[in-house]
Amino acid sequence: MRGLASRRPPPIRWIAPAILLALLAPLQGCGDRGPEPAPAERRVSTQAATVDESRAPAGELVDQPGAPSPGEWTLPGRDYAGTRYSPLDQITTRNAGDLRVAWTFSTGIPRGHEGQPLVVNNTMYLVSPHPNIVYAIDLRNPGGPLKWKYHPPTDPAARGVACCDVVNRGASYADGKIVFNRLDNVTVALDAESGKVDWETKLGDISRGETMTMAPLVVDGRVFVGNSGGEMGVRGWLTALDLGSGKVLWQAYNSGPDKDVLIGPRFKPYYDWLKGEDLGVKSWPPDQWKRGGSTVWGWVTYDPELDLLFYGTANPGVWNPDMRPGDNLWSTAVFARDPATGEAIWASVTTPHDEWDYDNINEHIPVDLVIDGKPRKALLQFGRTGFVYLYDRATGQLLSAPMYQHTNWATGIDMKTARPMEVPEKKTHEGVNVTNICPASTGARDQQPAAYSFRTRLFYSPGTNLCMDYKAGRTAYIAGTPYLGAEVVMYAGPGGHRGEFFAWDPVAGKKVWAIPERFPVWTGALVTAGDVAFYGTMDGWVKAVDARTGAVLWKFKAGSGLIGNFMTYLGPDGKQYVAVYAGVGGWAGAVALGLSPEDPTGALGFVNAMKDLPDYTAPGNTLYVFALP
Amino acid sequence: MSSRFPERLGLAAAVGLAIALAGCTRGAQGGEGGVPGGGLTRGEQSDTVPGVQPGIVPEVVLGHVSNPYADDAGAIATGRQLFVGFNCSGCHAAYGGGGMGPSLRDSLWIYGKRDAQIFSSIAEGRAYGMPAWGARLPDELIWRLVAYVKSLGTEAEPEKPPRHAADKVMKAPKPRRAEG
């Protein structure tokens, strides 16, 4: 079907209603995806900067609450929903093959580069891995000279408690400030013009094994920050800071009594087993909730219409499940919270009494879909578990949970309770080596985020195809050291390819196309109005693909493997640029940072699955920026 | 080390003292760290200072310390138990291959490979996040850990890492295309 691929101009008599339709409703993709949704009221983005009409992309502007002007990128996922969709369309399926490097920049820190740069007011902002140097690049001048650089006094000892390389997942920009997290638990706001520190707020302590790696989200003058340390027996939380002063507005823990978890009269979980008092205490052995993991090291998203924040929580602390009988709430959960007060509005849990380290911190993307003929305010997440969770984001009802990768620890999700239907042979226990569990603890996908196209109505996601052996054992809690109690070894899943990049139809609940890769795909996706999707591989290939067909349009071999997230922007010259870091590392790439391949348990078992990675790539630290000639 | 050079001495006096001390200690160093060829005696005029050799730690600095449990199989086995029991395996992996912390099996010793240097790393911790265990573990236990760490990758290693079935990295299947 040609659909939008057709470039013939429409007959004159259709133009007026076509423009009206374009203004009132999202553009239809190929094929019949069901009845058109009722035209939505056109909401103006509250953060929209002045749009330069001469540079506005052809075609309609999709409503992306929280997004800046089309050529800028001010939040980690571009908009509040984290769609990572760009309205820029100079780069298309026809000309993407002509892309070439426009310029590069080295951060100087040869560790894993996750996250994405920001572009606002013709300035690009980068945050490096620890020690988290922030660079501001002046895009108006040839070669992109530095406008300023901020090298914070980040504690070197923080590297010793960071589980999965010393990555940073990026900053947010709002009200003239660049806000980011230091690995040593300090949230920092810099003046975007001068690079001077506006405020710093210390929220955690490395002596408790805490670190911070996530990208803060800023909404309406509030900064939302989460901690890391689920492998260190840390107790996880989401904290709101005032953007102006850095003062703590509220803090919601994800385990413990309701008063700490900010569960009160407004909390209305959809499922009965989640209703009750102090479940965050009762679902643990005494006091074990204090080391309950459930950290917030992934992505926070927001729906301004329902005024709800969405985020997921990590694994329940110690990896030996026999040391924590009970459902271990609120680990591996998804929360919807009121951004003003932090009060929990609803929650659901993906692996109660998790036995596989299936953190639930992957991004939850709010998207309006038509399901069974009904328009739904949905929320979609690619779970570590191997299932795609599609919720009603107003109520927390799970609408569907199809499998998207080879999965054998559960046969499916019980739609009456949202609980998994577990396979007894794959449950892990102390002293037992359970073999061939799929997916491995990295999940069918980890934090590396997907993108959603309003044009194709498809999601574009990185994926991982690994299985594991998991042997739990007794361990002691020593603050500041790992609290694991499990020996894990990972290896390739069925098919032998360890990763893939795929397009997912959220309504049909299936993949539309998939590109297998040798290594896990660990980059965050980007999709544009030019119908081009971007991803990269851990052995260093940057790829542009046709968003409709999955055909690879262009590829480029970068200096190091890629684990960062793509973004795109308009330069001062009015041209579209695509940027991504190339610097291998992270949890998946740890072996390339000098670990010994003969110990298969290294990097929580990842070393065994990636022994050959150093044959393909070495550490790097370069930002690549691509453009058409 | 700064205690060797009283602060009130001027630079020239400090240099002279260093030359004299280098001459005095040369014999004690044996083949390591000694300056080959001409040495200087007290009172001789010279404008050179005997060299310091990066990577070589003179015995006088280490205080002639060595591991009382070197090559002791029982101590190495105990060291293995301590390695797991105190969560060393959490950072350095179950067989020392590394993860959050560096590999202890490879030939790169960031802070030195002498027993006393490894002892120091464990007891005093290191700037990039190795915790200091000296207040929690008595020396006799730390020396056993040193013995275990030195055994990694050698015949003396008490529990060798398992060989895992080699992954079969098969040819990637053809990409699945969009329908229609």
Side-chain angles (χ1 to χ4, degrees), chain A residues 1 156-157 159-160 162-163 469 475-476 481-482 487 489 491 495 511-514 516 548-551 595-596 598-603 608, chain B residues 85-87 90-91 93-101 103 105-106 127-129 133 161-162 164 167-170 172-173 175-178 180:
Chain A
M1 283 186 222
R159 290 197 180 190
C163 85
D469 299 348
T475 189
T481 72
E487 211 175 283
V489 174
Y491 38 90
K511 286 179 189 167
V512 175
W513 51 255
R548 296 182 190 281
T549 67
L595 306 185
S596 292
E598 71 267 19
D599 180 345
T601 70
N608 188 67
Chain B
F86 283 97
N87 294 339
C91 283
Y95 304 93
M100 293 168 55
S103 173
R105 303 186 68 90
D106 62 9
Y128 276 100
W133 292 92
H164 202 270
D167 303 359
K168 277 205 300 241
V169 181
M170 291 159 24
R176 204 169 119 221
R177 296 283 180 206

Side-chain angles (χ1 to χ4, degrees), chain A residues 459-607:
Chain A
F459 284 85
Y460 300 90
S461 183
T464 297
N465 176 33
L466 295 176
C467 301
M468 66 176 172
D469 299 348
Y470 191 116
K471 181 165 107 179
R474 193 132 289 254
T475 189
Y477 173 70
I478 305 173
T481 72
Y483 189 40
L484 287 169
E487 211 175 283
V488 176
V489 174
M490 303 187 210
Y491 38 90
H497 59 288
R498 286 165 279 178
E500 67 174 11
F501 184 67
F502 61 95
W504 177 263
D505 180 332
V507 175
K510 59 188 204 344
K511 286 179 189 167
V512 175
W513 51 255
I515 304 170
E517 292 287 354
R518 177 189 307 275
F519 293 112
V521 178
W522 217 261
T523 54
L526 165 70
V527 67
T528 70
D531 293 337
V532 182
F534 290 86
Y535 78 100
T537 70
M538 288 189 70
D539 53 334
W541 286 99
V542 181
K543 297 192 185 183
V545 306
D546 184 317
R548 296 182 190 281
T549 67
V552 176
L553 304 166
W554 165 87
K555 61 185 188 186
F556 171 83
K557 183 68 159 57
S560 177
L562 290 103
I563 59 167
N565 308 330
F566 285 77
M567 58 83 72
T568 186
Y569 67 96
L570 281 183
D573 55 359
K575 278 176 65 167
Q576 182 183 3
Y577 294 87
V578 174
V580 69
Y581 296 117
V584 79
W587 185 17
V591 67
L593 299 173
L595 306 185
S596 292
E598 71 267 19
D599 180 345
T601 70
L604 306 169
F606 227 135
V607 163

Side-chain angles (χ1 to χ4, degrees), chain A residues 106-197:
Chain A
S106 172
T107 66
I109 307 293
R111 303 297 292 262
H113 282 61
E114 293 183 7
Q116 59 289 304
L118 301 179
V119 169
V120 56
N121 296 328
N122 291 315
T123 308
M124 179 182 278
Y125 298 92
L126 292 71
V127 183
S128 80
H130 180 283
N132 308 129
I133 304 169
V134 183
Y135 296 97
I137 294 177
D138 181 355
L139 298 174
R140 288 167 308 182
N141 288 311
L146 279 181
K147 199 157 146 170
W148 50 257
K149 162 178 157 173
Y150 173 64
H151 189 142
T154 316
D155 191 341
R159 290 197 180 190
V161 294
C163 85
C164 307
D165 197 5
V166 296
V167 298
N168 183 281
R169 298 190 181 91
S172 277
Y173 167 91
D175 290 357
K177 296 181 216 292
I178 293 289
V179 188
F180 69 102
N181 291 318
R182 286 170 23 184
L183 190 66
D184 60 350
N185 304 297
V186 179
T187 304
V188 181
L190 303 177
D191 178 275
E193 264 307 297
S194 66
K196 298 257 182 299
V197 175

Side-chain angles (χ1 to χ4, degrees), chain A residues 394-452:
Chain A
T395 65
Q397 180 191 3
L398 186 62
L399 302 173
S400 65
M403 219 181 255
Y404 71 103
Q405 295 288 40
H406 177 70
T407 294
N408 66 13
W409 69 277
T411 54
I413 310 297
D414 182 342
M415 298 308 286
K416 294 193 297 299
T417 58
R419 294 182 71 111
M421 299 182 290
E422 296 174 6
V423 172
E425 297 74 45
K426 301 302 181 186
K427 289 173 74 65
T428 67
H429 287 293
E430 188 169 313
V432 180
N433 188 29
V434 184
T435 59
N436 194 39
I437 303 170
C438 312
S441 52
T442 70
R445 216 208 72 183
D446 200 1
Q447 55 78 34
Q448 54 279 22
Y452 174 71

Side-chain angles (χ1 to χ4, degrees), chain B residues 13-24:
Chain B
V15 170
L17 203 54
I19 291 167
L21 281 170
C24 289

